[in-house]
Amino acid sequence: MNSPLTQQELQEAYEFLSKKADFPLQAGIILGSGLGDLADLLERKISVPFHEIPHFPASGVAGHKGVFHFGFLDNVAVAVMQGRVHYYEGNHPSRVTIGVRLMALLGVRSLIVTNAAGAVNPNFKPGDLMLITDHLNLTGANALLGAHVPEWGERFVDMSEAYSLQLLSYAREVGEAGNIILQEGVYCAMSGPTYETPAEVRMIQRLGGDAVGMSTVYEVMAARQMDMRVLGVSLISNMGAGILQQPLNHEEVMETAARRKTDFINLIRGVIFLIDKE
Ligand code: HPA
């Protein structure tokens, strides 16, 4: 595993990136597996591959492009990460948060995190969109592990409203207005990169999880430490292991995302519109 992210490294990354966009940002969006198409809608887009940003770990996952974009979504200035950094790629948990911390330094106050996830709740089905109401971090680690960096916020961060009630209500409003059916539930993070065993899926069910994935929670911890509001959206790409008698694979995750991308994009657009109206 690489070393923890330092303030000096973050500062160098910020100095590089802040020269690329000279307009105030209204919101940040992190696009998960197969959900990258939203970046195509950005106007006046400035794109910076992760590997050009100092100290930014490269993302090597298929369906994760690894590009940081600035641009306008329906005339609202946003930062968009197409792809993300994962713990299972060997990154220290603090390093996974670099993109979120950069967004915070660039002035983003509202963050939308998205991912593909397996359903643990048997009432969900592949293709469902789930608003994340809370999370379970079962990765065994934490994004704030390591020396405390006072510039980033508190040492002990309150997570009682990790997912903003205001942004959740915006998402529900957009769902109702646009006839987009939305599930709601608890996202459980596992380290991956193996998918879960059927016993692990049953465990998560008993612990109160509704969906399971390998990302997002470290980003949310960093966002809360830096006082950003968070909306989380999971695209249910498959049923969790053992719920159906069939193996899981990354292609299925990508196919399901492709099938539901219109509703997904409309949901995010609608929420960004409401944030801009505040
Ligand atoms: N488990 C963990 N991560 C995932 C899954 C899953 O079933 N589907 C998509 N990401």
Side-chain angles (χ1 to χ4, degrees), residues 157-176:
V157 174
D158 176 37
M159 295 292 282
S160 39
E161 194 186 321
Y163 299 87
S164 157
L165 296 177
Q166 180 67 63
L167 294 183
L168 273 168
S169 86
Y170 288 165
R172 291 181 189 119
E173 190 180 326
V174 173
E176 272 167 38

Side-chain angles (χ1 to χ4, degrees), residues 55-192:
H55 313 295
F56 211 106
S59 166
V61 186
H64 284 271
K65 252 188 141 170
V67 186
F68 209 108
H69 305 279
F70 299 105
F72 292 81
L73 184 65
D74 305 320
N75 284 319
V76 184
V78 292
V80 176
M81 276 172 66
Q82 190 173 8
R84 53 154 56 88
V85 179
H86 295 92
Y87 179 42
Y88 62 71
E89 293 170 290
N91 297 300
H92 188 276
S94 63
R95 216 161 263 285
V96 172
T97 70
I98 185 168
V100 169
R101 296 198 187 278
L102 285 168
M103 287 188 188
L105 293 179
L106 291 163
V108 169
R109 310 295 349 137
S110 304
L111 176 69
I112 304 179
V113 287
T114 71
N115 57 52
V120 171
N121 185 326
N123 300 319
F124 290 178
K125 53 183 191 318
D128 280 356
L129 291 169
M130 183 190 89
L131 302 179
I132 303 177
T133 54
D134 205 347
H135 75 221
L136 287 165
N137 171 23
L138 299 193
T139 66
N142 188 293
L144 273 48
L145 285 178
H148 178 222
V149 180
E151 290 87 344
W152 298 354
E154 303 276 340
R155 164 89 288 190
F156 302 106
V157 174
D158 176 37
M159 295 292 282
S160 39
E161 194 186 321
Y163 299 87
S164 157
L165 296 177
Q166 180 67 63
L167 294 183
L168 273 168
S169 86
Y170 288 165
R172 291 181 189 119
E173 190 180 326
V174 173
E176 272 167 38
N179 278 323
I180 306 169
I181 296 167
L182 298 172
Q183 305 282 11
E184 296 194 10
V186 173
Y187 175 86
C188 176
M190 303 286 276
S191 75

Side-chain angles (χ1 to χ4, degrees), residues 116-119 190 194-196 212-214 235 237-241 248 253:
M190 303 286 276
T194 57
Y195 290 111
E196 299 66 41
V212 59
M214 307 174 193
L235 176 87
S237 54
N238 56 279
M239 298 309 287
L248 273 51
V253 172

